Amino acid sequence: MQTRLIEANDSILAVTLDEFESDIELKIKFARILDLLAVDRDDIETAAIENAAHMSDVDAFKLAELICDFFYELG
């Protein structure tokens, strides 16, 4: 699962919070995903890869579930 999260980083990190200005719920959900994926905001891409690589299986599955739910809501 960690490998799949690492592979998904480019797609996820290409999205910005500004894209959800009109929908506060989606903005909050996306912010939570970013917080779990990359706590370090200075180099978010490197942090996201390192965090995903070192996540426990349980944490990786929780994050993957949040991401899937989020993209499902986008329609």
Side-chain angles (χ1 to χ4, degrees), residues 9 13 37-38 40 43-52:
N9 278 340
L13 298 177
L37 193 58
D40 182 2
D43 188 357
I44 194 167
E45 292 173 4
T46 300
I49 291 170
E50 290 174 0
N51 289 348

Side-chain angles (χ1 to χ4, degrees), residues 8-26:
N9 278 340
D10 288 339
S11 297
I12 295 167
L13 298 177
V15 179
T16 66
L17 286 173
D18 295 337
E19 295 179 48
F20 305 106
E21 284 298 320
S22 62
D23 190 331
I24 194 69
E25 277 189 48
L26 286 177

Side-chain angles (χ1 to χ4, degrees), residues 9-75:
N9 278 340
D10 288 339
S11 297
I12 295 167
L13 298 177
V15 179
T16 66
L17 286 173
D18 295 337
E19 295 179 48
F20 305 106
E21 284 298 320
S22 62
D23 190 331
I24 194 69
E25 277 189 48
L26 286 177
K27 186 174 185 176
I28 291 168
K29 288 178 182 184
F30 190 68
R32 178 143 191 250
I33 290 169
L34 291 178
D35 285 344
L36 293 172
L37 193 58
V39 177
D40 182 2
R41 298 287 182 200
D42 292 331
D43 188 357
I44 194 167
E45 292 173 4
T46 300
I49 291 170
E50 290 174 0
N51 289 348
H54 294 100
M55 278 183 185
S56 68
D57 289 343
V58 172
D59 288 339
F61 278 101
K62 285 180 184 177
L63 179 55
E65 185 176 346
L66 286 173
I67 293 168
C68 289
D69 289 346
F70 178 78
F71 281 101
Y72 178 78
E73 285 188 43
L74 289 177

